[in-house]
Each structure stands twice: as C-alpha cells, then as structure tokens.
Amino acid sequence: MFHSLLLNIRLFFRGAVLSYIALFRWFTPPAYLASKVIAPLSYMLFFVVLGTFATGKESASFYIIGNSVQMAAMSGIYGVTMSIGGDRWDGTLPYLFATPANRLALFVGRAAIHVLDGILGVFLGLFWGITLLGLDVSKTDPLVLSVVILITTFSTSGFGLLLGALSLLTRNIMFVNNTVFFLLLIFSGANLNLSLLPEWMQTISWSLPLTRGIASARKIISGSAFIEIAPLMGTEFLIGVLYILLGFLLFRWFEFKAKRKGTLEVM
Amino acid sequence: MNAIEVDNLRRIYRPVMGIFRRKVKEIVAVDDISFYVKPGELFGILGPNGAGKTTTVKILVTILIPTSGSARIQGFDVVREAEKVRPRIGFILGGERGLYWRLSGVDNLRYFASLYHVDPGISKSRIPYLMELVGLEDRGKEKVEGYSRGMKQRLHIARALLHDPDILFLDEPSIGLDPIGAREVREVVRNLQAEKKTILLTTHYMFEADALCQRIAVINHGKIVALDTPEALKEVVKDLHIIEVEVFGIPSEVIERLQAKGFIENLAVENVEQRQVLLIQTARGSEAVPDILAILNGLRVGKISVREPTLEDAYVRLVGNKGE
C-alpha cells in the first residue's frame, strides 16, 4: 500500500516534469518568450490603456491587477490542455491507456508544472504593472498575495484539466483554448466590473475560476487583510478541486468510450 | 496454462459517415477467431492489410473492447481483468508514433517506467540494459525527433520491455523499415525469443513469419484461414510449382485469360517498377510454360523461372490474389 503510494507520487512528479517538456509546445525559448512574456504584456497594455481611456486614470490598478491575474489562464488553460490533448497528436494515448498507471496521478500530474509556470506569469504581469504602469503595492502583504496567486493558478489549472479532457473529445485543442481564454477575459472580471453584467452572466462569472482570485488580488493590493478574502479563496480552491474532478471523470469516460469505439488513435 | 487464449473473438466497427445525413457503416474487422499461444512460443499472425491483425492485438493489449467473444492473458480476461493483464504484457503497434519526440530516448523510457511502476532502483539498471539490447546505447540522450524510423521502432521495443513482461505483442515491428533496420529488429526479436518470452508477432512479410515464428495463423477478412507451423503451411502448396514470368505492360484481359486456365491454381501479379512479375501456381511445373507463353504471345516477356513453393506461395493460395 505504502509502496504503491510512493510509486504514484513518483509518477506524479516525473510525469509532471517530463510531460511538460514533452507536450507543452511553447517550451522553446522563442515560443515561450512570445507567448508567456510578450503576448501577456501586450494584452495588459491594451486593456489598461483602453480601460483608463474609458473610465479614468484612477482605475488603472483595476486593469493591471485583473490582467496580471488573468495570466494564470495562459498556463492554466493553454499549457494544461496542451499537456493533456498533446498525447493524441503524439499517438501516445494507446500506450498510456495500456499501462497500469494510476490515472489520477497521471492526469493531475500533467498540470503541476503549469501551476508553477502560471504563478511566474502572474508575478511577471504584476512586475510589468509596477515597473511600466506605476502599480502601487505599498499596502500589499506579499505572502497573502502569493497565497492568492497560488490558489488562483491551481483553480485555473483545474479548469484547464477539464478543458484538456474535453480537447481529447473535440480533437481540437486550440479551438477550445482560444474560446475559453477570451471568454474569461469578459467573465473573470479582469476588464469589467462584474456588477455591470446581467445577472445570468454574473452567475457564470462566479462559477468560473479566476473571478474570486482577481477580486481577492485587488483587495489585497489595496491593503485588505487575509481574513477579508479567506471565504473567496476557500471557494476558489473548492472550485479548482471540482473542476479537477469533473475533468478526471471526463478523462475516464473518454478512455472508456475510445476503447469501446476504437478511436484512441484517431487524430 | 496457455499464455494467450482467444475464443470466438469478434470485433465490429461502426463508423458514422456524413454530417447531416448520418449513416452508420458496419465493418467486421475480426470475425469469430480462436487460437491459443503457449508460454515461450513465438506465434505469428500473418495477413494482408485490413485483415484484422492489429484489431486482434489491440483487443489483447486491453485498448479495444471486443464486440463478442473473449480473450485471456495468463488466465486473466482482457476486458474484465484488464488491470491484471497490463503489468504482464508489453506491446508495440507499428509505425513511428507513440513516443514523445521532444524527449530523449532515455527520458521516454524513464517516463514509461514510472507509468509501469518499475521500481526506481530497477529502472536505473534496466534502461541502459534495454538501450543496449536494441542497439541505441550511444543515442539514448538524443531527442527522439532526430531518430530514424528504425531507431524509433527499436526504442518502442525497449519501451515494451521496461517492466520485463512475460508476453510481448509486436504488431508489424518491421513495417516501413529499410532492409537493415528490419533485420536489426528481427535480431532483437530473436534475442527475446531466446529469453523465453512469449511473443505474438503480426506481419505481412512472409519471410519474416517463416524465419521467426513457430506457429502461424493466416488471417484474411477477419477470419483465420489456416493455423499451423510454417512447414505444415507450406504443405498446402507442396504439390505445386511456382512459375515466375516477367512481362512488360500486361493487359488485364490477358491476366483474366490466364486465370481462366484450369491448370493454373493461383495467379498473383507483382508490379516491379515498369514490369510485372506473374507468380503462377501450377501442378504441371515447367510443362505449363509453353501454354503460358502461348497466352502471352505478342507481349514482351523477360525472365522465366520455375521454383519450389515457399510460405509466401502458401499464403497467396490461402488468402487469394488480393493479398499483398
């Protein structure tokens, strides 16, 4: 029992590192620089300039923080779905599904490095905000902000696992990724005050990851204490767990259906 | 107990065609086949493309659910007890895919060792051993994307052996390889046979099956049409001789006229560059040559030879002219 647990932990970590290198197609210096450094900076500049033009310079921090935390979705959505869906393109699915590997360790391990990568992305976004756009972080508790970023990146990656499992069904990774990423730009509250949205849209917003993370980060940077955002973060964490479980169920369902229909190798 | 037992296995695919007017087509890939493989035996499944070889292997390695029938590996059912089957088997499906091209050969093996729960201490020594076994010891640290097709195929074999399984399924391991690459793969298979592994090998290369397998099932259109030792299979054509006639630009009506002749048991046509080689099976041997030449009158005829039948000729007789 204990030995089996150790082997599954090993599978989780080794799978995390090797699947990141093997399947994350942006893991080359030019692609990484373009997609994880330059593109996020462009997004941020665009939305900050547009937002402050529409609502005034005093709201700059709203857009800087929102778009920085949104960067968690770059890794959580694009990275994680590539690491799940990439097996279809490499033709490795039949070999994976014929192993006795614990499917949960295999599945969740695919997201682990992307969580770390996502944290780096959010900090990079905040760094651009501070150095280029004058974001004031003087009242921020860095430890609490780090916890917020960790939980938000975790929940977003959990959502990415669900999308990754979905991409196995749809066979089109980028279609799923792009649609969800840009919908999140609206629904997460990164660039809109959620109270301006119709009620049904707000319901969607609060059932997604990121929304509470962005709201919490704004509060922490403006000087709120951890206790004020603890309920938001608790729910954000649970949302992440829920999406992981949904993704895992979908992954297992895909495995069963593909074996039944003989579609494991279909590209 | 047999290593592999297959009883009345049947698999039907039902692909859906069309977007608006959806039609379901039914394709019987494996049609009521039964066979067994003894421990330590090298068993071959021989058949043309689309005969059902790969489908059979996929069912046996637990990645495809049969429509009906059953199969057991060391007594464990491949559907109901798949979890017990998986650690006992290793397999490769033909072709280059199925490896992580951005990882090195060794990293591929490390990852799959984790997936098969190979103890870290064991995998540390086993990976170099396997890389040496498949002749990749000097290329292990290179990314797989730089490997030749033959190297990838050999890496696949190493991957299949990581957890030291008793039973190996090799689905067309030499397909698409150059002659040297194919010979190297066959050499690896021979070494595995010497290690007393049970091997189920599928191929459509007759000489490969003849050289390696102890027993062969010939499969066509999903059905087993013959199952015996290579020597016994050759008995099917023992009374026949093979006349090979090289011709240039033979019209289809001439082929039909030849096929209609009662003394010709079987006729296969191989296209070799701009010429065709007629493989004619006949009991009359060289006596049939004048009659054949009479039908070919007016065509440019090259080399003519009469030889004893091989396993390939037995195969042609068993599966008909549609075989490759």
Side-chain angles (χ1 to χ4, degrees), chain B residues 247-249 270-277:
Chain B
V247 287
F248 296 83
E270 280 181 9
N271 286 301
V272 185
E273 293 167 356
Q274 287 158 1
R275 65 186 193 277
Q276 294 84 44
V277 178

mmCIF file of all heavy atoms in Angstrom, chain B residues 247-249 270-277:
data_model
loop_
_atom_site.group_PDB
_atom_site.id
_atom_site.type_symbol
_atom_site.label_atom_id
_atom_site.label_comp_id
_atom_site.label_asym_id
_atom_site.label_seq_id
_atom_site.Cartn_x
_atom_site.Cartn_y
_atom_site.Cartn_z
ATOM 1 N N VAL B 247 6.931 -9.885 -67.307
ATOM 2 C CA VAL B 247 6.326 -9.316 -68.530
ATOM 3 C C VAL B 247 6.295 -7.796 -68.403
ATOM 4 O O VAL B 247 6.431 -7.238 -67.299
ATOM 5 C CB VAL B 247 4.883 -9.833 -68.766
ATOM 6 C CG1 VAL B 247 4.891 -11.262 -69.233
ATOM 7 C CG2 VAL B 247 4.036 -9.667 -67.530
ATOM 8 N N PHE B 248 6.074 -7.142 -69.547
ATOM 9 C CA PHE B 248 6.051 -5.676 -69.562
ATOM 10 C C PHE B 248 4.703 -5.210 -70.097
ATOM 11 O O PHE B 248 4.357 -5.522 -71.241
ATOM 12 C CB PHE B 248 7.201 -5.125 -70.405
ATOM 13 C CG PHE B 248 8.555 -5.451 -69.840
ATOM 14 C CD1 PHE B 248 9.145 -6.691 -70.095
ATOM 15 C CD2 PHE B 248 9.222 -4.541 -69.026
ATOM 16 C CE1 PHE B 248 10.389 -7.010 -69.574
ATOM 17 C CE2 PHE B 248 10.464 -4.870 -68.499
ATOM 18 C CZ PHE B 248 11.043 -6.092 -68.771
ATOM 19 N N GLY B 249 3.942 -4.510 -69.280
ATOM 20 C CA GLY B 249 2.669 -3.939 -69.714
ATOM 21 C C GLY B 249 1.618 -4.961 -70.066
ATOM 22 O O GLY B 249 1.025 -4.904 -71.150
ATOM 23 N N GLU B 270 2.779 -9.088 -59.351
ATOM 24 C CA GLU B 270 3.549 -8.096 -58.587
ATOM 25 C C GLU B 270 4.058 -7.035 -59.557
ATOM 26 O O GLU B 270 4.659 -7.376 -60.585
ATOM 27 C CB GLU B 270 4.760 -8.759 -57.916
ATOM 28 C CG GLU B 270 4.407 -9.497 -56.646
ATOM 29 C CD GLU B 270 5.641 -10.117 -55.998
ATOM 30 O OE1 GLU B 270 6.790 -9.822 -56.451
ATOM 31 O OE2 GLU B 270 5.455 -10.903 -55.083
ATOM 32 N N ASN B 271 3.804 -5.783 -59.221
ATOM 33 C CA ASN B 271 4.335 -4.710 -60.052
ATOM 34 C C ASN B 271 5.715 -4.319 -59.545
ATOM 35 O O ASN B 271 5.871 -3.957 -58.391
ATOM 36 C CB ASN B 271 3.398 -3.498 -60.004
ATOM 37 C CG ASN B 271 2.147 -3.766 -60.808
ATOM 38 O OD1 ASN B 271 2.204 -4.028 -61.997
ATOM 39 N ND2 ASN B 271 1.013 -3.742 -60.134
ATOM 40 N N VAL B 272 6.699 -4.445 -60.390
ATOM 41 C CA VAL B 272 8.069 -4.075 -60.023
ATOM 42 C C VAL B 272 8.529 -3.041 -61.042
ATOM 43 O O VAL B 272 8.819 -3.377 -62.192
ATOM 44 C CB VAL B 272 9.020 -5.302 -60.032
ATOM 45 C CG1 VAL B 272 10.406 -4.908 -59.524
ATOM 46 C CG2 VAL B 272 8.448 -6.434 -59.214
ATOM 47 N N GLU B 273 8.571 -1.783 -60.596
ATOM 48 C CA GLU B 273 8.879 -0.656 -61.484
ATOM 49 C C GLU B 273 7.977 -0.724 -62.726
ATOM 50 O O GLU B 273 6.763 -0.701 -62.579
ATOM 51 C CB GLU B 273 10.376 -0.629 -61.823
ATOM 52 C CG GLU B 273 11.224 -0.299 -60.578
ATOM 53 C CD GLU B 273 12.693 -0.558 -60.763
ATOM 54 O OE1 GLU B 273 13.102 -1.054 -61.806
ATOM 55 O OE2 GLU B 273 13.436 -0.257 -59.807
ATOM 56 N N GLN B 274 8.583 -0.851 -63.940
ATOM 57 C CA GLN B 274 7.725 -0.836 -65.130
ATOM 58 C C GLN B 274 7.335 -2.228 -65.610
ATOM 59 O O GLN B 274 6.689 -2.382 -66.650
ATOM 60 C CB GLN B 274 8.443 -0.090 -66.257
ATOM 61 C CG GLN B 274 8.460 1.403 -65.987
ATOM 62 C CD GLN B 274 9.553 2.111 -66.741
ATOM 63 O OE1 GLN B 274 10.307 1.508 -67.487
ATOM 64 N NE2 GLN B 274 9.640 3.403 -66.535
ATOM 65 N N ARG B 275 7.737 -3.220 -64.872
ATOM 66 C CA ARG B 275 7.405 -4.590 -65.322
ATOM 67 C C ARG B 275 6.494 -5.269 -64.297
ATOM 68 O O ARG B 275 6.326 -4.775 -63.191
ATOM 69 C CB ARG B 275 8.694 -5.389 -65.536
ATOM 70 C CG ARG B 275 9.494 -5.625 -64.285
ATOM 71 C CD ARG B 275 10.818 -6.287 -64.618
ATOM 72 N NE ARG B 275 11.467 -6.798 -63.433
ATOM 73 C CZ ARG B 275 12.201 -6.102 -62.601
ATOM 74 N NH1 ARG B 275 12.415 -4.808 -62.823
ATOM 75 N NH2 ARG B 275 12.752 -6.658 -61.553
ATOM 76 N N GLN B 276 5.910 -6.366 -64.744
ATOM 77 C CA GLN B 276 5.068 -7.152 -63.856
ATOM 78 C C GLN B 276 5.666 -8.550 -63.739
ATOM 79 O O GLN B 276 6.209 -9.068 -64.715
ATOM 80 C CB GLN B 276 3.634 -7.275 -64.397
ATOM 81 C CG GLN B 276 2.863 -5.962 -64.446
ATOM 82 C CD GLN B 276 3.151 -5.179 -65.701
ATOM 83 O OE1 GLN B 276 3.189 -5.736 -66.798
ATOM 84 N NE2 GLN B 276 3.408 -3.886 -65.550
ATOM 85 N N VAL B 277 5.584 -9.073 -62.542
ATOM 86 C CA VAL B 277 6.032 -10.455 -62.354
ATOM 87 C C VAL B 277 4.796 -11.292 -62.046
ATOM 88 O O VAL B 277 4.072 -11.024 -61.086
ATOM 89 C CB VAL B 277 7.059 -10.565 -61.200
ATOM 90 C CG1 VAL B 277 7.466 -12.021 -60.996
ATOM 91 C CG2 VAL B 277 8.283 -9.705 -61.501
#
